[in-house]
Amino acid sequence: LITRVDPVSASADAEVQRALRGEGPLDTEFRVRWPDGTVRVLRAHGRVQRDEAGRPVRMLGTNWDITAAKAAQAEILSLNADLARRAA
């Protein structure tokens, strides 16, 4: 279903590694390209489960599509910038 993470989202891999090292839960956003070529923005939250020795054994969490929210946020920023230009 998911084809690949966008190269611009390389920081998401660093966030996964940080969580695996035990430096906190996974909390990141990244872009993926679907098989049809569309790009979506996903949000990820997860926690690493460890064995008795403290080694990571699995990561549990969720990913959800925040593309519409990101588009709305960009539109608000654009409208605010336009309003500021008109008021100046």
Side-chain angles (χ1 to χ4, degrees):
L1 184 61
I2 295 177
T3 57
R4 67 181 185 86
V5 173
D6 194 298
V8 172
S9 298
S11 65
D13 185 54
E15 289 296 318
V16 169
Q17 295 306 315
R18 185 184 69 76
L20 290 173
R21 288 191 304 269
E23 298 171 4
L26 176 65
D27 183 8
T28 191
E29 297 175 1
F30 57 96
R31 297 187 318 191
V32 294
R33 186 174 305 277
W34 288 161
D36 67 0
T38 59
V39 174
R40 308 298 291 184
V41 182
L42 300 183
R43 176 88 190 225
H45 279 266
R47 293 193 181 273
V48 175
Q49 291 186 336
R50 299 179 180 283
D51 64 15
E52 295 79 21
R55 294 181 300 251
V57 293
R58 72 178 57 91
M59 182 180 285
L60 300 174
T62 59
N63 292 325
W64 67 97
D65 189 336
I66 61 168
T67 306
K70 286 294 198 179
Q73 182 182 35
E75 179 68 14
I76 289 168
L77 291 173
S78 175
L79 290 170
N80 283 340
D82 186 44
L83 183 60
R85 279 191 301 276
R86 291 177 187 210

